[in-house]
Amino acid sequence: MKGRPIAVDLDGTLFVDDSAWENLRFIILRNPTKVPALLIQAFFGRASFKDWLHKEAGTSRNPPTIRQELLARLLREKKKGRAVHLVSGAPQDLVEATAKRLGFNLRLKHWGSSSQSNLTFSKKELLVKTFGVRGYDYYGDRKIDIPIFKNAER
């Protein structure tokens, strides 16, 4: 691989919307009888709740809408030989499915959350540990990403 790796957040960055909110809306609109279970699941913590939402919505929901301009930029960088890693608080299987659907190298590591661990709050440490300070470029969109931007080259 040539050049610094690129780390890309999904929800609100590569995805137009937040996948958890979209799953929540999908479940409520498609199956309102799930609302009591949804409320109970919310008490098990953020990581578990997001994982449950993703599994409940399943493949019935259309894949998240992609920001085409950003995708085109990432694919140009990939073509130049740069590694593109997806890193998100979204569930790991959604991250991997997105990497596959968009044609990103599946031999590279793509990181997502599990039912026990929400990556949203630990991305900075993960990226610094993996690539070093200033060892990667980062695409993100939220206030929580500010510490990640401070450790990224761009």
Side-chain angles (χ1 to χ4, degrees):
M1 296 287 157
K2 298 176 185 178
R4 277 184 313 279
I6 301 170
V8 185
D9 180 43
L10 292 183
D11 292 324
T13 304
L14 188 55
F15 294 164
V16 171
D17 298 307
D18 184 289
S19 60
W21 283 108
E22 290 297 308
N23 285 336
L24 177 64
R25 187 174 78 197
F26 178 83
I27 292 165
I28 291 171
L29 293 175
R30 282 301 267 312
N31 195 351
T33 61
K34 294 272 186 183
V35 170
L38 188 150
L39 295 172
I40 291 167
Q41 286 296 322
F43 286 102
F44 291 106
R46 186 178 184 139
S48 178
F49 185 55
K50 287 169 75 172
D51 191 57
W52 182 85
L53 287 171
H54 178 66
K55 287 178 180 163
E56 282 298 314
T59 56
S60 302
R61 187 171 91 73
N62 290 332
T65 304
I66 302 294
R67 290 187 195 281
Q68 293 301 317
E69 184 178 303
L70 177 57
L71 176 59
R73 183 180 310 147
L74 295 171
L75 292 174
R76 280 193 304 272
E77 292 300 318
K78 177 185 170 240
K79 194 172 184 178
K80 292 177 188 176
R82 292 184 71 189
V84 177
H85 300 268
L86 303 182
V87 54
S88 177
Q92 180 68 35
D93 56 342
L94 176 59
V95 173
E96 290 173 359
T98 301
K100 182 177 182 180
R101 179 169 66 106
L102 300 180
F104 292 120
N105 188 340
L106 297 179
R107 291 178 300 197
L108 295 177
K109 184 69 176 152
H110 302 285
W111 296 277
S113 295
S114 70
S115 60
Q116 292 83 35
S117 170
N118 185 353
L119 189 59
T120 300
F121 303 106
S122 57
K123 281 191 275 186
K124 180 187 94 170
E125 291 81 11
L126 172 82
L127 292 170
V128 168
K129 180 179 175 185
T130 305
F131 303 118
V133 174
R134 304 273 186 257
Y136 61 95
D137 291 345
Y138 182 73
Y139 288 88
D141 72 312
R142 301 209 172 125
K143 189 176 182 179
I144 197 165
D145 292 327
I146 291 172
I148 301 169
F149 287 122
K150 288 180 179 178
N151 286 289
E153 183 63 27
R154 285 192 235 172

